[in-house]
Amino acid sequence: MTHEDTRDPSALHTPVLLERCIELLAPVVQATGHDDTPVIVDATLGMGGHTEALLERFPSLTVIGLDRDTEALELAGARLARFGDRAIRVHAVYDDIERAVFDSGFSRIDGVLFDLGVSSLQLDEADRGFAYAQDAPLDMRMDQSVGETAADVLATAPEGRLRAIFERYGEEPLAGRYARAIIAARAEAPILRSGQLVDVLQAATPAAVRDQRHPAKRVFQALRIEVNAELSVLERAIPAALDLLKVGGRAVVMSYQSLEDRFVKREFARRVASTAPAGLPVELPEHRPEFRLLTRGAELADDAERQRNPRAIPVRLRAAERMRDVR
């Protein structure tokens, strides 16, 4: 893509749970003193919808936006240009959040937003290979400048690894059957396109299962997570982001599949728990929880938003606030 790209990011992307995210992050911006510059990290900038709204609502705010997808960064740059140096874009995977913050001239942050999963841009552009409903090269890399493609994984992974990928990242009950089918198919011809893979999976799926769900959905999710190392990145990124928050700082995380949400839930639970030894009569200050939860369980999009924006249907939002510093 060139700098002459004329696509309108706001037409390509509708931010999920936008007003709720702003509501949760607003107190940390409004509570910051006049001598400070409130700083929020949008760890998954995408096409900049959430960041644009935050910068519009809060004129003193600076947002550091991270994304591994260079195409998304370029589109977001056009959308956010009017905010000048209040919008800092960084080409990085979000587990590199600490370096991105330090390199931007800050040591701590007031808030962080994660909008996990695959972006609207990646889903809608057929040649990226994320969508099983469109025939395209099997790429699936969020950053197309580095790493193995999904086609590379399918071409080289042994049966056991394929099965493990589908089981762990797709929670696919037919993982073994699909792995065997892929090994047999690639012996005849390389599996290079999404349409080829869908055909292999369809042929390997019992008719009763095909009637219940699309056989490719979980396999495509699993391959995407594997290609982009999404879970291992998340397991580093969330703790790093929480550690960067000032006292009173807030983290908002939106997940779109159960594996992501389970990890976020566990990490938040760990941070809101007291570390006082069992039987201690008085909880000492150093044992008090680092964080408190701002949501009761995971919040869902309401019916109106689900109808307006179908990509909000699977979202699970969790948020937490730092109560004390442990540095």
Side-chain angles (χ1 to χ4, degrees):
M1 188 179 70
T2 71
H3 290 284
E4 298 173 350
D5 193 306
T6 58
R7 288 175 294 176
D8 179 3
S10 63
L12 294 170
H13 171 58
T14 302
V16 172
L17 292 177
L18 177 62
E19 292 303 322
R20 182 56 172 148
C21 290
I22 291 173
E23 178 185 17
L24 287 163
L25 291 169
V28 301
V29 179
Q30 295 165 342
T32 303
H34 295 297
D35 295 333
D36 296 323
T37 299
V39 180
I40 286 175
V41 174
D42 185 343
T44 47
L45 179 64
M47 286 179 284
H50 289 96
T51 286
E52 179 183 46
L54 286 163
L55 291 170
E56 284 177 342
R57 305 280 181 98
F58 306 107
S60 64
L61 176 65
T62 293
V63 177
I64 305 170
L66 281 56
D67 210 291
R68 67 171 82 183
D69 189 327
T70 54
E71 187 175 3
L73 278 172
E74 190 170 333
L75 282 166
R79 185 176 195 167
L80 303 174
R82 61 194 165 100
F83 299 107
D85 59 8
R86 293 175 53 217
I88 302 171
R89 292 176 298 129
V90 181
H91 181 219
V93 185
Y94 46 73
D95 63 342
D96 206 13
I97 185 171
E98 184 176 64
R99 179 196 62 80
V101 169
F102 292 171
D103 287 355
S104 299
F106 303 95
S107 59
R108 304 297 289 271
I109 58 177
D110 299 281
V112 63
L113 172 66
F114 286 87
D115 187 8
L116 301 172
V118 64
S119 74
S120 298
L121 174 66
Q122 292 156 351
L123 281 173
D124 289 342
E125 293 211 339
D127 62 1
R128 301 295 292 271
F130 287 97
Y132 55 83
Q134 298 172 302
D135 184 42
L138 277 168
D139 191 318
M140 295 195 189
R141 291 172 299 169
M142 293 178 178
D143 181 350
Q144 291 185 297
S145 66
V146 295
E148 281 189 314
T149 67
D152 293 331
V153 173
L154 292 174
T156 60
E159 181 181 326
R161 182 183 168 205
L162 289 175
R163 176 174 183 161
I165 290 169
F166 302 156
E167 285 179 339
R168 182 181 180 196
Y169 300 144
E171 299 179 295
E172 174 54 68
L174 298 178
R177 179 190 288 257
Y178 289 156
R180 289 190 297 274
I182 288 167
I183 296 296
R186 80 184 188 193
E188 300 295 326
I191 303 173
L192 302 176
R193 300 186 65 85
S194 55
Q196 288 176 272
L197 179 56
V198 169
D199 288 344
V200 171
L201 298 173
Q202 290 275 24
T205 305
V209 176
R210 284 200 303 270
D211 292 341
Q212 295 172 7
R213 60 180 173 86
H214 198 294
K217 181 176 182 179
R218 293 175 180 176
V219 170
F220 271 62
Q221 173 184 296
L223 281 171
R224 189 201 84 216
I225 292 171
E226 170 71 13
V227 165
N228 297 290
E230 290 178 46
L231 288 184
S232 59
V233 167
L234 184 67
E235 289 167 1
R236 294 188 294 271
I238 297 296
L242 295 178
D243 289 342
L244 283 167
L245 288 171
K246 300 174 183 176
V247 173
R250 293 184 166 197
V252 178
V253 185
M254 290 184 284
S255 306
Y256 294 83
Q257 43 99 345
S258 59
L259 297 172
E260 293 171 339
D261 185 54
R262 278 181 219 150
F263 175 76
V264 175
K265 179 181 179 180
R266 286 198 307 269
E267 183 62 18
F268 278 13
R270 186 175 75 84
R271 298 292 185 121
V272 302
S274 170
T275 59
L280 198 68
V282 177
E283 183 183 56
L284 299 175
E286 61 266 28
H287 294 310
R288 289 174 185 160
E290 289 180 62
F291 284 79
R292 72 180 181 97
L293 297 179
L294 298 172
T295 54
R296 295 185 62 183
E299 293 185 358
L300 311 178
D302 60 24
D303 290 340
E305 176 154 3
R306 290 175 177 221
Q307 291 178 5
R308 184 173 65 251
N309 184 9
R311 286 181 183 156
I313 292 172
V315 72
R316 302 288 185 273
L317 181 149
R318 298 181 188 272
E321 178 182 3
R322 178 177 281 285
M323 302 304 293
R324 71 176 182 90
D325 208 338
V326 295
R327 293 191 176 190

